[in-house]
């Protein structure tokens, strides 16, 4: 055998040996996971995101009676649950982790448990995503970083970016990567102290009849036993990290290539099993927005489709409630408050009390954090308090739609504003055949935009004898009827709409929602939908509402979503409210599924309530709504 062949053979043996070690370690790490299901007759204490707030978590644990003056466990057999995101944004993540590592061991020795859930920011740090990393967190590792470590990273930086070594290059490098950055990176690596610890933590656990995870449970999470689910997610994460580490060591990825760009770099490489596995891992559930550490649908998407989905999972796992923490709110320093009314905004329940959201109040000024705690007592009662001040309160019911109105105004306040504010500008639009106006309204220093519609092809058709020609009417009044019906059903997806006369012309003003993108734009520009709410669930919900009001004008140009989070809005209803019970043409092939939550809302709708629509609809149109309601409830339509 020639020398070249021997070298090639040795490379093959080394590569095989490398991957045997990798998969052996993956197996060991996955097998080393603790149980995912616990039972206890002691109290369970729950907090949301910590984000490096060491002083606050120390005070909270002390007030809960879980640690003593020496920061040792004193909670006996109690269970403590941190819902993840213990790092990033704060000043003392390293101290928090060291405290948690110690308390995990001490609590277990005392017969209790100190649970830490893997949150979105834990996964981010493991995969080298430093978007949330604060300067103070980097500085915590400055004494651990060696000169050799920095010099090696500097040389890699120059080579990867093909830079010339110079004083300016060195300055740019030092500015971008302060002292401590590479020690932090190493500590969160596969063999680092904190990397190894994080990889032992679960994504989801159950204590008694309560489920705990960081983000939420999407419909893509399999219904299997929790230990197997954690094993699957951990295996996906470990496989990604091992392959990322492989390409780093091969010099085929730079250490500073963002997570979102790594796959694009590797696409340029010659095909290999490692490359294919990395690409597959890059699309895995654990790293997607549907993974339990990142999913926000339970806390932000409409309950009329999220509630059914969560109920199915709770029933499968024999649980009554899911606790999540991935809903942190950021406020300016003047907004920090310990008042009960503000606390209720921080801790909220949703989806018929199946979901409890343990938000954390983060100030935009540095390191002012309020931690809110829940204590589930042995008799099943749940008490809520501000962890550092022990001020008790009760959570409020979360809004059905996550996005807030402009200026945090209520619907009623926006209605009053749009009825009375001065019209300071009107612009012609080219939308549709009716050519509505975009209007600007100003009052008390506030500016709100709206759309003014005035087309009425069948005036006063809500009165007197019914004419079948009204079934083809285009009336601005129907926008008001759709808005009121939307609110009667508790939907909240039709923008606020009011009647108003402008320059002697009767019409309606509907709140203008900025930053929308249509389904037509998605398709024409081949944009990939990346919203937090399931696309098909949202369109199905729109189809359900369109059938209820018999909207005959739905098309791709008026199916609208927020650009930033992909949440749907229901607009354009001026060609609705016919008297037929047959599906409109565009809904003939739609597989409309009425969710349990929406069916309940429909069942509760009464003829008496619908009389509120009589200023705009004929009694035959109102009866037709009830007829279609019955078909939707029965599922036979």
């Amino acid at each position: 055998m020639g020398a070249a062949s021997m070298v090639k053979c040795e490379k093959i043996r080394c590569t095989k040996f490398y991957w045997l070690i990798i998969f052996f370690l993956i197996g060991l790490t996955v097998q080393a996971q603790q149980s995912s299901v616990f039972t206890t007759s002691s109290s369970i204490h729950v907090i949301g995101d910590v984000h490096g707030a060491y002083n606050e978590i120390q005070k909270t644990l002390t007030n809960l009676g879980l640690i003593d003056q020496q920061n040792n466990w004193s909670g006996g057999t109690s269970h403590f649950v941190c819902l993840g995101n213990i790092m990033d944004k704060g000043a003392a993540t390293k101290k928090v982790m060291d405290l948690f590592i110690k308390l995990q061991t001490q609590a277990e020795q005392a017969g209790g448990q100190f649970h830490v859930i893997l949150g979105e920011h834990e996964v981010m740090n493991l995969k080298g995503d430093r978007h949330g990393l604060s300067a103070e967190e980097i500085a915590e590792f400055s004494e651990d970083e060696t000169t050799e470590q920095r010099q090696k990273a500097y040389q890699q930086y120059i080579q990867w970016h093909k830079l010339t070594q110079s004083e300016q290059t060195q300055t740019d490098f030092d500015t971008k990567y302060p002292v401590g950055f590479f020690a932090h990176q190493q500590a969160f690596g596969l063999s680092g102290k904190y990397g190894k610890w994080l990889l032992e933590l679960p994504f989801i656990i159950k204590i008694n009849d309560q489920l705990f995870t960081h983000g939420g449970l999407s419909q893509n999470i399999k219904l299997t036993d929790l230990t197997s689910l954690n094993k699957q997610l951990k295996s996906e994460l470990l496989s990604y990290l091992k392959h990322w580490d492989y390409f780093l060591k091969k010099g085929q990825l730079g250490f500073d290539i963002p997570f979102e760009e790594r796959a694009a770099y590797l696409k340029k490489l010659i095909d290999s099993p490692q490359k294919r596995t990395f690409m597959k891992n890059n699309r895995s559930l654990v790293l997607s927005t549907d993974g339990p550490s990142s999913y926000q649908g339970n806390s932000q998407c409409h309950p009329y489709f999220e509630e059914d989905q969560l109920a199915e999972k709770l029933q499968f796992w024999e649980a009554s409630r899911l606790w999540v923490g991935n809903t942190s709110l950021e406020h300016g320093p003047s907004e920090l408050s310990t008042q009960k009314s503000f606390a209720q905004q921080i801790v909220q329940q949703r989806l018929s009390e199946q979901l409890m959201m343990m938000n954390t109040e983060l100030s935009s000024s540095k390191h002012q954090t309020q931690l809110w705690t829940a204590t589930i007592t042995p008799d099943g009662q749940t008490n809520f308090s501000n962890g550092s001040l022990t001020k008790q309160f009760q959570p409020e019911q979360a809004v059905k739609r996550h996005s807030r109105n402009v200026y945090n105004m209520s619907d009623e306040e926006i209605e009053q504003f749009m009825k009375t504010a001065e019209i300071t500008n009107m612009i012609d639009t080219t939308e549709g055949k009716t050519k509505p106006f975009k209007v600007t309204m100003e009052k008390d220093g506030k500016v709100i935009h709206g759309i003014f519609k005035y087309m009425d092809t069948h005036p006063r058709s809500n009165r007197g004898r019914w004419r079948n020609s009204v079934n083809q009417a285009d009336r601005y009044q129907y926008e008001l009827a759709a808005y009121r019906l939307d609110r009667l059903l508790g939907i909240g997806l039709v923008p606020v709409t009011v009647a108003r006369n402008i320059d002697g012309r009767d019409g309606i003003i509907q709140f203008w929602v900025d930053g929308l993108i249509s389904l037509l734009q998605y398709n024409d520009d081949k944009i990939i939908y990346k919203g937090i709410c399931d696309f098909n669930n949202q369109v199905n919900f729109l189809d359900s509402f369109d059938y209820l009001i018999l909207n005959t004008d739905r098309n791709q140009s008026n199916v609208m979503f927020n650009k930033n989070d992909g949440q749907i809005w229901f607009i354009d209803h001026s060609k609705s409210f016919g008297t037929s019970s047959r599906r409109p043409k565009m809904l003939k092939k739609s597989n409309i599924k009425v969710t349990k939550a929406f069916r309940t809302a429909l069942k509760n709708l009464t003829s008496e309530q619908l009389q509120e629509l009589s200023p705009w609809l004929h009694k035959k149109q109102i009866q037709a709504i009830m007829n279609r309601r019955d078909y939707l409830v029965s599922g036979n339509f």
Side-chain angles (χ1 to χ4, degrees):
M1 182 181 291
S5 298
M6 291 179 66
V7 171
K8 182 178 180 181
C9 185
E10 285 301 315
K11 285 184 178 179
I12 292 173
R13 288 196 190 105
C14 288
T15 301
K16 287 183 177 179
F17 183 65
Y18 176 85
W19 288 107
L20 282 172
I21 291 176
I22 280 181
F23 290 115
F24 175 72
L25 290 173
I26 289 176
L28 283 181
T29 307
V30 171
Q31 290 174 15
Q33 292 183 101
Q34 298 176 345
S35 173
S36 304
V37 180
F38 304 84
T39 57
T40 182
S41 57
S42 298
S43 294
I44 305 168
H45 305 277
V46 189
I47 64 165
D49 302 5
V50 176
H51 285 303
Y54 178 78
N55 292 335
E56 288 79 3
I57 187 61
Q58 182 190 44
K59 191 169 184 179
T60 296
L61 292 171
T62 300
N63 288 338
L64 290 172
L66 298 178
I67 61 173
D68 59 23
Q69 294 301 312
Q70 287 72 45
N71 293 335
N72 291 314
W73 179 258
S74 60
T77 58
S78 295
H79 282 238
F80 173 83
V81 183
C82 173
L83 293 166
N85 277 11
I86 61 177
M87 56 196 58
D88 290 345
K89 302 182 182 181
T93 289
K94 189 177 182 183
K95 290 178 68 176
V96 171
M97 290 190 294
D98 288 340
L99 176 63
F100 280 15
I101 290 170
K102 179 180 76 170
L103 293 176
Q104 274 189 319
T105 301
Q106 292 180 345
E108 189 170 4
Q109 290 173 347
Q113 289 287 339
F114 194 96
H115 307 279
V116 183
I117 305 296
L118 271 177
E120 182 180 25
H121 283 265
E122 282 73 59
V123 174
M124 285 170 60
N125 276 267
L126 283 168
K127 67 183 184 181
D129 185 342
R130 317 296 185 198
H131 288 150
L133 193 60
S134 71
E136 290 82 359
E137 287 176 294
I138 294 174
E140 283 189 289
F141 290 84
S142 59
E143 294 183 2
D144 301 330
E145 189 167 284
T146 65
T147 303
E148 289 181 348
Q149 201 172 21
R150 284 194 68 79
Q151 187 59 32
K152 181 180 178 181
Y154 177 60
Q155 293 302 322
Q156 291 174 340
Y157 174 78
I158 290 175
Q159 292 171 13
W160 179 260
H161 294 285
K162 299 178 181 179
L163 300 173
T164 303
Q165 188 164 328
S166 67
E167 185 176 334
Q168 184 60 51
T169 301
Q170 181 72 59
T171 300
D172 292 343
F173 174 81
D174 291 338
T175 301
K176 194 172 183 180
Y177 307 107
V179 176
F181 180 89
F182 298 104
H184 178 280
Q185 190 176 48
Q186 184 179 53
F188 282 85
L190 288 168
S191 58
K193 174 183 177 180
Y194 302 114
K196 288 192 292 186
W197 175 64
L198 290 176
L199 287 169
E200 294 175 355
L201 303 179
F203 285 95
I204 179 171
I205 63 171
K206 179 186 175 187
I207 308 176
N208 297 340
D209 66 340
Q210 308 288 306
L211 283 177
F212 303 89
T213 193
H214 177 68
L217 301 176
S218 73
Q219 61 186 16
N220 291 328
I221 291 178
K222 295 179 180 178
L223 294 176
T224 183
D225 67 273
L226 293 177
T227 299
S228 296
L229 177 59
N230 276 314
K231 183 177 180 180
Q232 171 212 331
L233 295 166
K234 195 63 62 65
S235 180
E236 290 176 356
L237 178 58
L238 276 165
S239 184
Y240 175 86
L241 296 177
K242 297 287 186 181
H243 284 80
W244 175 44
D245 183 65
Y246 170 80
F247 287 112
L248 283 174
K249 289 178 177 176
K250 294 271 288 184
Q252 293 173 327
L253 277 178
F255 68 82
D256 58 345
I257 302 302
F259 167 76
E260 297 82 4
E261 299 176 16
R262 292 170 193 164
Y265 274 93
L266 291 183
K267 278 184 179 180
K268 305 171 187 176
L269 300 180
I270 297 174
D271 188 38
S272 68
Q274 293 80 17
K275 175 184 172 181
R276 290 194 296 272
T277 304
F278 181 90
M279 293 300 189
K280 179 182 177 182
N281 291 334
N282 196 60
R283 300 187 299 271
S284 61
L285 176 64
V286 73
L287 298 179
S288 75
T289 54
D290 282 339
S293 63
S294 300
Y295 185 63
Q296 298 180 51
N298 297 153
S299 57
Q300 297 189 20
C301 298
H302 204 285
Y304 284 177
F305 50 82
E306 281 294 326
E307 187 172 314
D308 288 9
Q309 178 180 298
L310 180 57
E312 178 187 22
K313 289 180 167 53
L314 291 176
Q315 182 179 13
F316 179 83
W317 284 310
E318 298 180 341
S320 63
R321 178 178 283 174
L322 173 68
W323 296 74
V324 298
N326 189 24
T327 45
S328 297
L329 305 175
E330 296 198 11
H331 301 276
S334 62
E335 296 175 277
L336 279 169
S337 169
T338 57
Q339 298 300 313
K340 178 180 177 181
S341 60
F342 186 77
Q344 288 177 321
Q345 298 175 33
I346 295 296
V347 179
Q348 299 176 320
Q349 55 192 6
R350 201 168 187 263
L351 308 183
S352 298
E353 301 184 15
Q354 295 179 124
L355 181 74
M356 188 63 68
M357 303 183 293
M358 295 295 292
N359 302 327
T360 295
E361 179 186 356
L362 302 175
S363 171
S364 55
S365 65
K366 289 191 175 183
H367 320 317
Q368 295 187 44
T369 303
Q370 295 287 344
L371 299 179
W372 310 90
T373 68
T375 298
I376 306 170
T377 61
D379 62 359
Q381 298 297 312
T382 304
N383 302 316
F384 298 88
S385 65
N386 175 296
S388 58
L389 299 176
T390 66
K391 185 178 181 68
Q392 294 197 353
F393 61 92
Q394 289 300 314
E396 72 168 15
Q397 186 68 31
V399 295
K400 290 188 175 179
R401 182 181 184 85
H402 176 71
S403 56
R404 297 181 178 182
N405 287 330
V406 63
Y407 302 113
N408 286 328
M409 297 167 71
S410 66
D411 285 353
E412 292 74 18
E413 289 171 331
I414 290 184
E415 286 182 25
Q416 188 62 26
F417 183 98
M418 295 199 303
K419 288 177 181 178
T420 59
E422 179 185 0
I423 306 294
T424 58
N425 194 26
M426 289 184 66
I427 303 174
D428 289 331
T429 69
T430 58
E431 298 177 11
K433 298 178 181 179
T434 58
K435 304 296 186 294
F437 292 95
K438 183 177 181 181
V439 299
T440 301
M441 297 162 283
E442 297 187 32
K443 183 180 179 181
D444 299 331
K446 297 183 176 71
V447 179
I448 289 180
H449 300 288
I451 190 81
F452 178 66
K453 295 186 176 184
Y454 52 87
M455 174 66 74
D456 184 4
T457 60
H458 291 68
R460 296 178 295 280
S461 57
N462 59 307
R463 306 173 192 168
R465 187 176 178 181
W466 174 254
R467 294 169 292 157
N468 286 332
S469 62
V470 179
N471 283 320
Q472 285 76 49
D474 187 341
R475 307 193 71 207
Y476 70 81
Q477 292 91 337
Y478 293 167
E479 298 286 3
L480 271 168
Y483 169 62
R484 294 313 310 165
L485 180 58
D486 167 278
R487 294 313 192 261
L488 284 173
L489 289 167
I491 297 175
L493 298 182
V494 176
V496 175
T497 308
V498 299
R500 182 148 181 187
N501 182 289
I502 299 179
D503 297 334
R505 179 182 287 175
D506 288 331
I508 62 96
I509 295 180
Q510 187 170 86
F511 178 79
W512 180 279
V513 183
D514 285 318
L516 297 185
I517 181 172
S518 70
L519 179 58
L520 184 64
Q521 288 175 277
Y522 272 116
N523 291 333
D524 284 354
D525 298 339
K526 298 180 180 179
I527 300 171
I528 298 174
Y529 175 80
K530 295 182 179 180
I532 60 174
C533 305
D534 183 82
F535 179 86
N536 292 326
N537 284 342
Q538 294 193 94
V539 173
N540 177 74
F541 194 19
L542 175 63
D543 288 346
S544 301
F545 186 71
D546 277 345
Y547 173 73
L548 180 66
I549 66 173
L550 208 70
N551 188 346
T552 61
D553 192 36
R554 184 66 63 209
N555 56 77
Q556 290 190 21
S557 67
N558 60 19
V559 178
M560 307 297 291
F561 302 86
N562 280 337
K563 285 182 180 178
N564 60 343
D565 63 8
Q567 293 206 53
I568 201 167
W569 285 94
F570 294 179
I571 66 166
D572 283 356
H573 310 107
S574 64
K575 294 183 179 180
S576 302
F577 297 105
T579 55
S580 173
S581 292
R582 295 180 179 179
R583 293 192 187 197
K585 183 178 180 180
M586 76 283 188
L587 293 180
K588 292 287 187 183
K589 296 182 180 180
S590 297
N591 184 24
I592 301 175
K593 296 180 180 178
V594 182
T595 64
K596 182 180 178 181
F598 187 41
R599 182 178 288 110
T600 299
L602 289 168
K603 283 182 178 179
N604 292 334
L605 184 67
T606 66
S607 297
E608 290 74 22
Q609 288 176 311
L610 288 182
Q611 292 310 306
E612 185 179 328
L613 311 184
S614 59
W616 315 295
L617 301 182
H618 193 277
K619 61 183 180 181
K620 279 188 171 289
Q621 292 174 298
I622 292 175
Q623 181 57 50
I625 294 173
M626 291 301 292
N627 294 341
R628 292 189 293 269
R629 186 283 305 264
D630 292 341
Y631 282 119
L632 282 168
V633 169
S634 68
N636 183 24
F637 62 98

